[in-house]
Amino acid sequence: MKPVRSVRPVLVVIAHGSRDPRHAATVHALVERVRAERPGLRVETGFLDFNLPSVQGVLESLAAEGVRDVVALPLLLTRAFHAKADIPAVLREAPARLRIRQADVLGPSPLLLAALERRLYEAGLTPADKSSTGVVLASAGSTDPEAIAVIAEIAREWRHTGWCAVRPAFASAGSPAGFPRTEDAVRDLRALGCARVAVAPYVLAPGFLPDRIVRGAAEADVLADVLGPAPEVARLLLERYDAARAPMLAAVGA
């Protein structure tokens, strides 16, 4: 078999995976949008757990085809355990012929804030509602200090764009002290005097923890959808890909 020669490294999107079929369907929809945004770029999807193809299987298939360069992009919003440990461990087991560069995680980014607002507006809010609406920035949760600090900073930054208030909240049971559950953050904003309360899930795809966010939003006025295949998220994937491939191209004089 002739080696496959390509100017562009293959983009391998690495998703967590879930027993919930909505998760994989949403990931694939996002990847399709990325392909549509940049025709000609080869994009593959691999899952860490629960779904196929596995990351290892995708990498082995690419190596067997003769692919040389790969950008591995974690489909993650924060640099927590999966980005720091799980994904590097999987990439270390990749075929030796592959030159792999791990891209940065997606967050934080102004594009994610734009996607969050898109979902809120799709759920019925308008820009005119911002000053009277409190928003719960509801993430899955983490015990990683870096990830926790990033979520808190995103909430602070978002508040400065005109919302009545923004409160971070975690869905996971292992949330750190000081980070309320979604339902508690909704009540806090109501007590603060916000005319309406909206919940914005800071998650990419449906699943167990996102469903907990939905249940926690029962007393909110507005519940936005997950980020999923929002156009801003697709553009962000391509930004992360371009940043990761630049040193690879420089190394080969491309």
Side-chain angles (χ1 to χ4, degrees), residues 21-42:
R22 297 173 298 165
H23 175 91
T26 302
V27 170
H28 290 311
L30 173 58
V31 168
E32 283 304 316
R33 186 175 284 274
V34 172
R35 292 188 180 115
E37 288 275 341
R38 189 169 297 180
L41 172 62
R42 182 172 179 181

Side-chain angles (χ1 to χ4, degrees), residues 210-230:
D211 280 351
R212 186 177 288 175
I213 291 173
V214 171
R215 292 193 296 272
E219 297 179 18
D221 302 295
V222 175
L223 171 62
D225 199 358
V226 298
L227 295 170

Side-chain angles (χ1 to χ4, degrees), residues 3 30-31 46 52 56 61 109 122 126 159 161 165 169 175 179 189 230-231 238:
L30 173 58
V31 168
L52 293 175
Q56 188 68 22
S61 294
S109 167
E122 289 172 348
T126 70
R159 164 67 182 84
T161 67
S175 300
F179 271 72
L189 290 172
L238 290 170

